[in-house]
Amino acid sequence: MIYQTFVLNAQYSSGNSTIEKISTAKSFLEFSSRIGIIPLIVLTTIYLVLNKDLISSKKFTYFMVTYVYLIINFITVIISGRYYNHYYITMIFPVVVISVVGINGFLSFIKNDIRRFIFLFALCSLTMSYSYLSLRDLVKKPLTTSPNQKVESLTINQAEYIQTHSNKNDSIYIHNIDANIYLYSNRYSNSKYFVLPSLDYTKFKHLKNEFLDDMESNPPKFIVLRKETFEKNSDTDERINLSLKKIINENYKIVPKYKNTEYLMFEEK
């Protein structure tokens, strides 16, 4: 547990440069602005600055601790140098707490009912507009893009092929691409490495050996990987591409239907 939670994650995060971490921070800040989080944090900051003397020292200390936690948590989000939206989930707690502090603070500060109504109406309008933008950019677009990922994409097509040409006892392996193929095909990976972490495996020989041992002891019926990955000439085995390519060339044959697609599919000989 200690190894997987702390040691491996530290190694995972150390594989990127400072420039990549800064770029990731910018991306997440743009994301925060796009979904309406930045205005809420600014609102709370304004409230605390204007009313510092009116807030008890105990409460003010609590608010500052929450801000510090927000900053530290944001650092953990960007430290990997990878802009993955799901990393942002851990930001929900401090963002919600800080937002509630600002909204509640302004409501207690505004005594006039009409002004309170105007404030709440403006706040609701603001959040609704950001919600619309989020739905438009982050939800509607992926669902309406053709081919639709949920209906007719290459991933869906390949998953259906796997389901048709295998049984539930057969395992598969999807190499560094859309892992949803496992779900759509209702098939398990041949090992615990159903998606390899983004590491340089020339520096993690024990992980590489475990992966290759599983490939030998429990070979998958199908392997799917990017065409670019398979055809690329490389001198290093950083992402285990060379080792996997050797295994494919020795023990697998290409599925003709997908030989000219973005994702190549290979079936065990």
Side-chain angles (χ1 to χ4, degrees):
M1 183 275 291
I2 292 174
Y3 171 75
Q4 293 190 5
T5 305
F6 299 104
V7 178
L8 185 60
N9 275 312
Q11 294 170 330
Y12 171 78
S13 299
S14 65
N16 293 276
S17 65
T18 303
I19 294 177
E20 288 174 312
K21 289 177 173 59
I22 293 173
S23 176
T24 302
K26 290 180 179 178
S27 296
F28 273 114
L29 287 173
E30 290 173 1
F31 174 76
S32 301
S33 178
R34 186 166 32 147
I35 63 176
I37 287 176
I38 296 296
L40 290 172
I41 294 177
V42 170
L43 181 74
T44 303
T45 304
I46 293 173
Y47 162 71
L48 294 176
V49 170
L50 294 178
N51 299 277
K52 182 179 180 182
D53 296 334
L54 302 177
I55 302 172
S56 67
S57 59
K58 186 176 181 180
K59 280 188 176 181
F60 194 80
T61 301
Y62 167 73
F63 297 153
M64 290 301 100
V65 168
T66 307
Y67 265 93
V68 171
Y69 175 75
L70 178 77
I71 295 170
I72 293 175
N73 194 81
F74 185 73
I75 292 173
T76 67
V77 170
I78 67 172
I79 198 170
S80 70
R82 297 172 174 89
Y83 177 54
Y84 297 153
N85 287 348
H86 58 274
Y87 284 3
Y88 203 81
I89 292 174
T90 60
M91 293 288 290
I92 293 176
F93 169 72
V95 165
V96 168
V97 172
I98 288 176
S99 299
V100 170
V101 168
I103 294 170
N104 184 64
F106 268 96
L107 284 175
S108 62
F109 183 66
I110 302 172
K111 302 301 181 182
N112 187 291
D113 289 340
I114 296 178
R115 290 181 178 177
R116 295 183 78 177
F117 173 79
I118 294 173
F119 170 75
L120 288 173
F121 179 79
L123 186 65
C124 289
S125 299
L126 182 68
T127 53
M128 286 179 67
S129 65
Y130 278 114
S131 297
Y132 165 74
L133 293 174
S134 299
L135 286 171
R136 185 193 67 185
D137 298 338
L138 304 176
V139 178
K140 182 179 178 181
K141 186 176 179 181
L143 290 179
T144 56
T145 299
S146 183
N148 188 294
Q149 176 66 22
K150 306 294 183 184
V151 180
E152 54 186 358
S153 69
L154 176 60
T155 296
I156 293 293
N157 193 287
Q158 291 185 330
E160 290 176 347
Y161 184 93
I162 291 171
Q163 215 167 17
T164 303
H165 295 81
S166 64
N167 59 60
K168 289 188 175 181
N169 294 323
D170 292 324
S171 61
I172 63 175
Y173 173 63
I174 313 302
H175 185 64
N176 289 326
I177 55 175
D178 193 348
N180 281 324
I181 295 180
Y182 291 113
L183 301 177
Y184 295 140
S185 65
N186 197 25
R187 298 292 181 267
Y188 287 106
S189 169
N190 67 307
S191 76
K192 65 181 180 182
Y193 297 104
F194 70 99
V195 173
L196 289 173
S198 297
L199 299 169
D200 180 356
Y201 286 89
T202 59
K203 300 177 182 178
F204 294 87
K205 292 184 179 180
H206 62 291
L207 295 181
K208 177 180 175 180
N209 290 336
E210 278 189 27
F211 171 80
L212 295 177
D213 287 344
D214 289 337
M215 276 290 173
E216 182 177 349
S217 61
N218 185 30
K221 184 174 179 61
F222 289 99
I223 295 177
V224 183
L225 75 164
R226 282 190 178 86
K227 183 177 183 180
E228 179 185 2
T229 300
F230 185 74
E231 295 180 347
K232 182 180 180 181
N233 293 321
S234 176
D235 296 329
T236 65
D237 206 14
E238 179 182 342
R239 300 298 296 276
I240 316 187
N241 294 339
L242 292 180
S243 296
L244 184 63
K245 186 174 180 179
K246 181 180 179 182
I247 291 171
I248 291 173
N249 287 331
E250 292 177 352
N251 305 301
Y252 289 80
K253 61 182 179 180
I254 193 167
V255 176
K257 182 178 180 180
Y258 302 109
K259 67 178 181 179
N260 293 318
T261 61
E262 179 185 1
Y263 297 163
L264 298 179
M265 181 187 292
F266 295 89
E267 184 175 8
E268 194 175 18
K269 292 179 181 178

